[in-house]
Amino acid sequence: MLNQTFIQIRTIIVLCLVALSIIACSQTRNNAHSGQVFSDPKAPVGDSSLTVPSSVKPILDVWMRDTYVMYGPDGYYYMTGTTATPGRVFKGQIHCWDYNDGLYLWRSLDLKNWEALGRIWSFDEDAEPWQKEGRPIKPGAKSLNGDPLDSIYRAVWAPELHYIKSQKKWLIAACLNGGKGSFVLESISGKPEGPYRNIRGSKHRAIFNNIDLGIFEDTDGEVYLVGHNHFIARMNKDLSDVAEPFKRFKETPYETEPYIEGVWLDKHNGKYQLLQTVWSVPKSDGTYSYLRDDRKDKVLYSYDVVIAESDNIYGPYGPRYPAILEGGHNNLFKDKKGKWWSTLFFNPRGVMGTRFPVTCRPAVVPLKWENNKLMPDAEVSKDFYSSIKD
C-alpha cells in the first residue's frame, strides 16, 4: 500500500514538473514571438571616435545650457537656449535652476560670428498668467550643482526655434521649471525674432505636462510635438493645438530604463532618428553602463547622446546606439551645404564635465554618418575651430 502511494506521489510530481516545463517553454516562445529585446546598455567610454572632439570650444561667451541651433530660410543660423538673466547677481555660480526673465536669440551667417537679437519673449510682457505665477522655493534649497536658489521657481528652459516650411510659420517650443509643463509660441510678425504669443493649445495651460518639448516637421508637412523622451502627438493643420493625445513611442528600451532627457526627432534616408540623452555610470568591473541604480551609482560619468531608428514615426524604434559621448541634450541641424551638425553646452556635471576648462557655453559639433550611424567628425571639427579666434 505504501509503495503504491509513493508511486502515485512520484507520478504527480513528474506531471507537475512536465506542466511547469511546458509553461516555461510557452512563455519563452511567446517572448520570442513578441520580439521583446533590449538595447545594449554598454557605454563606450574612452572611444575617441564617439567623443566630442577636443578641438570643440565655445562659439559665444554667454552662459547657456541646452544649446539649440537651426538654419533658417533667410540664410541665417539662429541660436537660443536656456539662459540666465543678464545682470543678475548670484550667490553661487551663474545658473537658471530657479528663475530667469525669458528667451533670447542670436543669429549668424557662418556659425562663428554671432549677432545678439535680444530678448524675444518675456515673462513680464508676453507670458500668460499660468506661466507667470511660478512656484515658491523652500528656504535653503539648492540646485543639483549645489547653487543657492532664490525665492521662486519661474524659469523657461530648453527652447527650440522652428521654421515650419509647409505653413511658413515660426514656432518656439519651450518648458517651465517647477513642474509647470511645456508650451508652444508662434511669431505674430512672421519673423524669427517675434514678437511671440502662445498658440491656443497653451494659452491657458501647459500643452504637455512635462519638460523638454520639441517640434518635428515631417517630409509630408505633418507637424508633431515630441515630449520628454518618450512621447509624441501630431498637431492640427493650423498648428494651434495638438490633434491627438500624446502617446508613447514604441521603443527598444534598456532592460531597466534609466532617467532619460533631451529628446530630439529627425529623419535620415527616409528613416526616423530618435535621439535621447543618458548618463553613463562606472561599474565595479571597470566598464561603463547606461543602467543606473540611483541608490548605488553615486558617480555620473558622461552625458551621452544615444540614437534609435524606425520606419514609422511612432515606432517601433530599434536598439539604441551611443553616438556622441558628452554631447547630451543636443539638437541636430544641417548647414547651408547640407552637412550635419550637433549642438553642445559643456555640461559641468559628471566626471567628464569636470575636465572642461569652461562650462555652460554654446558650441557646435560637425557630424558624419558611417555605416548608417551618426558620430562626431573630428577632422571637420579641427578645421572649423582652427579658424575661430579666441
Side-chain angles (χ1 to χ4, degrees):
M1 184 66 177
L2 289 173
N3 188 47
Q4 184 177 2
T5 301
F6 175 77
I7 293 173
Q8 290 175 339
I9 292 173
R10 185 176 65 179
T11 301
I12 291 171
I13 292 173
V14 170
L15 290 174
C16 288
L17 291 173
V18 170
L20 289 172
S21 177
I22 291 173
I23 292 172
C25 290
S26 176
Q27 289 177 338
T28 300
R29 285 196 299 272
N30 287 339
N31 287 338
H33 287 309
S34 68
Q36 180 60 54
V37 295
F38 298 104
S39 291
D40 183 355
K42 182 180 179 181
V45 170
D47 187 335
S48 60
S49 68
L50 299 180
T51 305
V52 171
S54 59
S55 58
V56 175
K57 58 187 178 183
I59 54 177
L60 186 67
D61 188 19
V62 171
W63 191 97
M64 182 184 295
R65 294 175 63 93
D66 315 321
T67 306
Y68 178 91
V69 173
M70 58 89 67
Y71 181 57
D74 55 0
Y76 279 98
Y77 297 97
Y78 289 93
M79 178 170 62
T80 185
T82 304
T83 55
T85 302
R88 178 183 168 190
V89 177
F90 292 86
K91 297 178 181 178
Q93 298 293 319
I94 298 175
H95 66 84
C96 63
W97 294 109
D98 43 16
Y99 75 89
N100 59 18
D101 60 340
L103 298 174
Y104 288 78
L105 188 65
W106 291 260
R107 71 177 182 180
S108 171
L109 288 171
D110 59 6
L111 290 174
K112 302 174 183 179
N113 301 287
W114 292 89
E115 173 192 2
L117 298 180
R119 190 175 60 194
I120 61 171
W121 183 83
S122 163
F123 273 112
D124 293 334
E125 299 172 8
D126 306 307
E128 295 295 334
W130 74 270
Q131 295 165 323
K132 291 181 178 181
E133 60 187 13
R135 184 169 66 83
I137 286 176
K138 294 181 179 179
K142 294 184 178 181
S143 75
L144 293 174
N145 295 331
D147 306 301
L149 301 183
D150 214 296
S151 59
I152 188 172
Y153 284 110
R154 198 193 72 172
V156 56
W157 287 353
E160 295 184 5
L161 174 67
H162 292 263
Y163 180 72
I164 308 302
K165 296 178 182 178
S166 59
Q167 300 272 352
K168 296 182 178 180
K169 181 179 290 189
W170 291 91
L171 297 182
I172 290 177
C175 62
L176 299 174
N177 65 347
K180 299 291 288 185
S182 300
F183 57 93
V184 177
L185 307 173
E186 59 183 350
S187 172
I188 58 177
S189 68
K191 299 178 181 179
E193 62 267 32
Y196 283 87
R197 66 184 177 192
N198 280 271
I199 64 170
R200 176 169 54 84
S202 59
K203 187 174 180 61
H204 301 292
R205 57 176 175 78
I207 198 169
F208 177 66
N209 63 4
N210 212 319
I211 61 172
D212 293 351
L213 186 68
I215 302 173
F216 172 72
E217 182 181 15
D218 209 342
T219 48
D220 61 2
E222 292 286 356
V223 179
Y224 299 82
L225 297 183
V226 184
H228 203 232
N229 325 306
H230 306 292
F231 296 90
I232 184 171
R234 180 172 52 84
M235 296 191 76
N236 58 19
K237 294 300 181 183
D238 65 1
L239 307 181
S240 63
D241 205 344
V242 290
E244 61 184 6
F246 279 87
K247 63 183 72 174
R248 289 188 71 98
F249 288 110
K250 295 178 182 177
E251 302 178 62
T252 303
Y254 296 116
E255 189 167 3
T256 302
E257 283 280 71
Y259 175 73
I260 298 175
E261 63 181 4
V263 68
W264 175 260
L265 186 64
D266 220 309
K267 208 168 186 179
H268 174 62
N269 287 344
K271 306 278 190 178
Y272 296 94
Q273 311 294 323
L274 181 62
L275 280 68
Q276 298 164 320
T277 296
V278 191
W279 281 103
S280 72
V281 293
K283 295 301 180 181
S284 57
D285 61 359
T287 63
Y288 298 85
S289 175
Y290 295 125
L291 299 187
R292 177 178 166 192
D293 187 339
D294 290 332
R295 293 171 297 179
K296 298 180 180 179
D297 296 320
K298 297 181 180 180
V299 177
L300 299 177
Y301 203 86
S302 58
Y303 192 59
D304 301 347
V305 178
V306 297
I307 302 179
E309 184 178 87
S310 175
D311 293 319
N312 186 285
I313 193 168
Y314 295 103
Y317 284 84
R320 300 163 181 155
Y321 67 88
I324 311 172
L325 304 190
E326 198 56 23
H329 205 133
N330 65 323
N331 80 281
L332 304 183
F333 67 96
K334 290 184 181 180
D335 64 17
K336 58 184 65 179
K337 295 181 179 180
K339 302 297 184 181
W340 289 81
W341 295 73
S342 174
T343 55
L344 176 71
F345 75 90
F346 304 102
N347 194 334
R349 296 186 71 202
V351 173
M352 289 186 71
T354 63
R355 300 173 182 173
F356 294 132
V358 63
T359 61
C360 296
R361 297 295 189 278
V364 290
V365 183
L367 305 173
K368 60 183 177 180
W369 292 89
E370 286 195 359
N371 299 320
N372 203 40
K373 290 187 175 181
L374 198 62
M375 62 181 63
D377 191 325
E379 291 186 9
V380 175
S381 177
K382 184 177 180 181
D383 290 342
F384 175 80
Y385 280 99
S386 65
S387 64
I388 297 180
K389 297 179 180 179
D390 292 328

